[in-house]
């Protein structure tokens, strides 16, 4: 029976190390070297399973040093990110291991009345119960880190992608207190001082609480920035709508005047030049996009002009009369961001490959929007942004998804064979 429990204990320790490995690499990605993940996992397994006792300076420092070297050599990221990983996960790992080990021992001796191991006199039943208690403590430890993974997964990913340098410094500063506390309390307090327990629990809570707080602050700042950006775009397009109305009101008269001037047989060369210049300036209104939504007309025309200036072949077939239930701000978020992303991707291509197509129409009870463009060869995956400053960039796709979600719609980005397609489906009320 003891051998069976030992096997279970080994498997639980391996599972525990694997879960901790997944959590850590989610927060701090591994270096991109072939076969490194397997090597990193095997190195982390004994580090994660380190046994910590009271007044155990050797294992405390060994765990800290080993963890620091492991992060420095095998994980990528800025020094502040690696310092944060060390300050957050190392004390939490030590606190959890210490609590499970110490509580298991106390419960065993309390329930069995067994003498200290040094004094001998242990029966086979005591050895079996000791192994069983140890196995249960490892199982509870595994459950704890699985719970951490479930509840913290989205925050770990978000933090690693969006925090600025100052935010990393704030997180590291906050984490110094629980980091120092856990090492001090375990080493300096007597073995039987149960005050270690609440301090270990507080250290664990502070570690992950600081990460949650950082993610919350980052999300709040980004939401405010996104709202400001969208409001500025809305204001811009509203001004463009007013300008377009004024221009269209004089367009036909101007065209007629030019026709009269062209009909005159004798006209100076300067007049001829002026006529041609005026014709080229108003030529754009001959191909004006009529989508069925005046606000969207301006957006499509504005993006078409931007594409033309960057020598991008742009075409749009949009019937958006049934999309009048969408708010102007959401129309701007959907079409503005989708076309901006397409234009940005097209700029990186040779001129003969620069192509953007936009389509929108009602199909049965769904409003279907599709924006397609060619992508650069190095675009290996769908990302929010390719820019280094992920805090101030990368809002395009999230803004589109947020706008579509308001109307219970679905946003599906796809990338294949050098082609990117964004398909949006919104139910028509």
């Amino acid at each position: 029976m003891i051998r069976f429990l030992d096997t279970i204990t080994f498997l639980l320790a391996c599972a525990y190390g694997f879960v901790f490995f997944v959590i850590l690499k989610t927060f701090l990605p591994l270096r991109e070297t072939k076969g490194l993940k397997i090597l990193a996992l095997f190195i982390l397994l004994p580090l994660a399973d380190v046994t910590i006792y009271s007044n155990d300076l050797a294992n405390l420092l060994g765990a800290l040093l080993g963890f620091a070297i492991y992060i420095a050599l095998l994980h990528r990221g800025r020094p502040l990110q690696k310092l944060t990983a060390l300050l957050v996960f190392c004390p939490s790992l030590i606190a959890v291991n210490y609590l499970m080990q110490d509580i298991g021992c106390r419960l065993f001796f309390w329930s069995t009345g067994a003498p200290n191991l040094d004094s001998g006199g242990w029966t086979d039943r005591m050895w079996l119960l000791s192994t069983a208690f140890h196995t249960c403590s490892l199982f509870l430890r595994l459950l704890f880190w699985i719970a951490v993974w479930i509840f913290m997964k989205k925050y770990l990913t978000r933090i690693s992608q969006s925090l600025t340098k100052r935010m990393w410094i704030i997180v590291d500063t906050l984490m110094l207190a629980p980091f120092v506390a856990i090492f001090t309390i375990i080493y300096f307090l007597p073995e039987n001082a149960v005050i270690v327990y609440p301090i270990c629990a507080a250290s664990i809570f502070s570690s992950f609480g600081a990460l949650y707080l950082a993610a919350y602050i980052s999300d709040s700042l980004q939401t405010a920035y996104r709202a400001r950006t969208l409001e500025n775009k809305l204001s811009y397009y509203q001004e463009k709508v007013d300008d377009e109305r004024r221009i269209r009101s004089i367009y036909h008269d101007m065209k007629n005047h030019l026709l009269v001037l062209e009909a005159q047989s004798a006209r100076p060369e300067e007049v001829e030049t002026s006529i041609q210049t005026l014709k080229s300036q108003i030529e754009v209104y001959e191909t004006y996009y009529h989508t069925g939504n005046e606000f969207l007309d301006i957006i499509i025309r504005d993006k078409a002009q931007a594409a033309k200036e960057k020598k991008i072949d742009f075409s749009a077939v949009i019937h958006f009369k049934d999309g009048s239930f969408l708010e102007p701000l959401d129309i701007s978020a959907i079409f503005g961001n989708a076309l901006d992303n397409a234009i940005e991707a097209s700029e990186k291509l040779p001129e003969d490959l620069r192509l953007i197509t936009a389509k929108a129409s009602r199909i049965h009870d769904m409003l279907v929007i599709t924006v397609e463009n060619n992508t650069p060869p190095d675009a290996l995956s769908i990302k929010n942004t390719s820019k280094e400053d992920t805090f101030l960039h990368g809002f395009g796709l999230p803004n589109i998804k947020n706008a579509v979600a308001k109307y219970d719609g679905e946003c599906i980005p796809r990338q294949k064979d050098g082609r990117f397609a964004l398909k949006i489906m919104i139910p028509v009320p």
Side-chain angles (χ1 to χ4, degrees):
M1 187 64 181
I2 291 180
R3 288 185 178 179
F4 173 74
L5 290 177
D6 285 338
T7 303
I8 298 297
T9 298
F10 173 76
L11 294 176
L12 287 173
C14 291
Y16 166 68
F18 177 76
V19 172
F20 188 78
F21 170 76
V22 172
I23 294 173
L24 184 58
K25 79 180 185 68
T26 301
F27 180 78
L28 198 64
L30 288 167
R31 295 187 185 275
E32 296 179 352
T33 304
K34 189 175 181 180
L36 187 64
K37 289 184 179 180
I38 297 176
L39 174 64
L41 175 60
F42 277 103
I43 293 176
L44 188 61
L45 286 178
L47 280 176
D49 196 39
V50 63
T51 303
I52 303 295
Y53 300 95
S54 297
N55 312 124
D56 188 2
L57 181 61
N59 276 349
L60 279 172
L61 293 180
L64 174 62
L65 183 60
F67 201 67
I69 295 174
Y70 171 84
I71 291 175
L73 296 181
L74 299 180
H75 287 263
R76 55 190 169 92
R78 298 190 295 271
L80 282 174
Q81 290 175 286
K82 293 184 177 182
L83 178 61
T84 302
L86 180 66
L87 294 178
V88 170
F89 292 103
C90 189
S92 299
L93 178 72
I94 289 174
V96 171
N97 287 5
Y98 173 82
L99 286 176
M100 294 297 102
Q101 175 74 20
D102 198 68
I103 292 175
C105 285
R106 288 177 185 272
L107 289 176
F108 166 73
F109 285 109
W110 174 77
S111 61
T112 62
N116 290 332
L117 187 60
D118 295 336
S119 61
W122 276 37
T123 64
D124 291 340
R125 180 176 176 275
M126 290 180 180
W127 282 110
L128 178 62
L129 288 175
S130 173
T131 305
F133 271 93
H134 181 60
T135 303
C136 290
S137 67
L138 292 183
F139 179 69
L140 292 175
R141 187 179 68 172
L142 175 62
L143 290 181
F144 170 81
W145 284 106
I146 290 176
V148 169
W149 167 245
I150 293 173
F151 290 107
M152 294 296 297
K153 178 182 178 181
K154 61 180 180 180
Y155 301 113
L156 294 174
T157 304
R158 200 177 304 162
I159 287 173
S160 64
Q161 292 177 350
S162 61
L163 289 194
T164 63
K165 183 177 179 180
R166 290 186 179 182
M167 291 180 182
W168 284 112
I169 293 175
I170 292 173
V171 174
D172 291 344
T173 303
L174 291 174
M175 289 311 307
L176 281 175
F179 180 84
V180 173
I182 197 66
F183 279 87
T184 304
I185 200 71
I186 292 178
Y187 177 67
F188 286 104
L189 280 186
E191 292 187 13
N192 294 323
V194 292
I195 194 174
V196 175
Y197 293 174
I199 293 178
C200 285
S203 176
I204 297 168
F205 179 81
S206 299
S207 297
F208 296 110
L211 291 182
Y212 173 81
L213 179 62
Y216 177 80
I217 293 174
S218 176
D219 285 350
S220 299
L221 292 175
Q222 288 187 355
T223 300
Y225 182 83
R226 292 179 188 180
R228 249 190 341 264
T229 302
L230 289 175
E231 287 172 0
N232 290 338
K233 284 186 177 181
L234 178 62
S235 176
Y236 166 76
Y237 286 126
Q238 285 174 336
E239 291 176 2
K240 294 281 286 185
V241 168
D242 294 336
D243 291 340
E244 293 288 341
R245 286 173 180 166
R246 288 193 296 269
I247 292 173
R248 287 204 300 271
S249 67
I250 65 172
Y251 162 68
H252 290 293
D253 288 339
M254 183 182 292
K255 184 177 180 181
N256 290 332
H257 295 329
L258 288 174
L259 291 174
V260 171
L261 288 173
E262 283 185 310
Q264 295 178 5
S265 57
R267 54 178 184 264
E269 185 178 343
E270 293 80 3
V271 175
E272 177 70 30
T273 304
S274 298
I275 290 173
Q276 296 304 321
T277 301
L278 285 172
K279 284 181 68 177
S280 64
Q281 289 176 348
I282 68 171
E283 185 182 41
V284 66
Y285 294 97
E286 294 284 357
T287 57
Y288 189 81
Y289 289 95
H290 296 280
T291 66
N293 183 288
E294 188 178 42
F295 190 77
L296 182 56
D297 291 346
I298 304 303
I299 297 176
I300 298 300
R301 180 180 172 276
D302 193 57
K303 301 307 176 187
Q305 184 63 29
K308 182 180 179 181
E309 292 173 357
K310 296 175 181 180
K311 299 181 180 179
I312 300 171
D313 187 1
F314 180 90
S315 64
V317 180
I318 298 175
H319 305 286
F320 213 70
K321 185 177 181 180
D322 293 318
S324 57
F325 64 93
L326 295 176
E327 296 179 6
L329 190 61
D330 297 321
I331 294 175
S332 173
I334 293 171
F335 284 92
N337 285 301
L339 293 173
D340 281 341
N341 289 347
I343 290 172
E344 183 179 344
S346 298
E347 284 184 276
K348 302 173 183 178
L349 294 168
E351 290 185 12
D352 59 328
L353 294 179
R354 296 179 183 180
L355 174 65
I356 298 174
T357 57
K359 299 177 182 178
S361 62
R362 177 173 179 169
I363 301 178
H364 302 298
D365 292 330
M366 300 294 290
L367 193 63
V368 180
I369 304 166
T370 306
V371 177
E372 297 184 17
N373 60 273
N374 292 328
T375 57
D378 57 348
L380 300 178
S381 61
I382 297 172
K383 298 181 180 179
N384 289 345
T385 181
S386 58
K387 300 179 177 68
E388 293 184 2
D389 188 356
T390 54
F391 182 77
L392 295 180
H393 297 95
F395 296 148
L397 195 54
N399 279 345
I400 295 171
K401 290 180 177 179
N402 290 337
V404 171
K406 286 176 58 178
Y407 304 93
D408 297 322
E410 187 177 7
C411 178
I412 307 171
R414 289 177 179 169
Q415 186 171 302
K416 186 178 180 181
D417 299 330
R419 187 82 174 159
F420 177 84
L422 180 66
K423 187 174 185 179
I424 297 167
M425 295 178 290
I426 302 174
V428 178

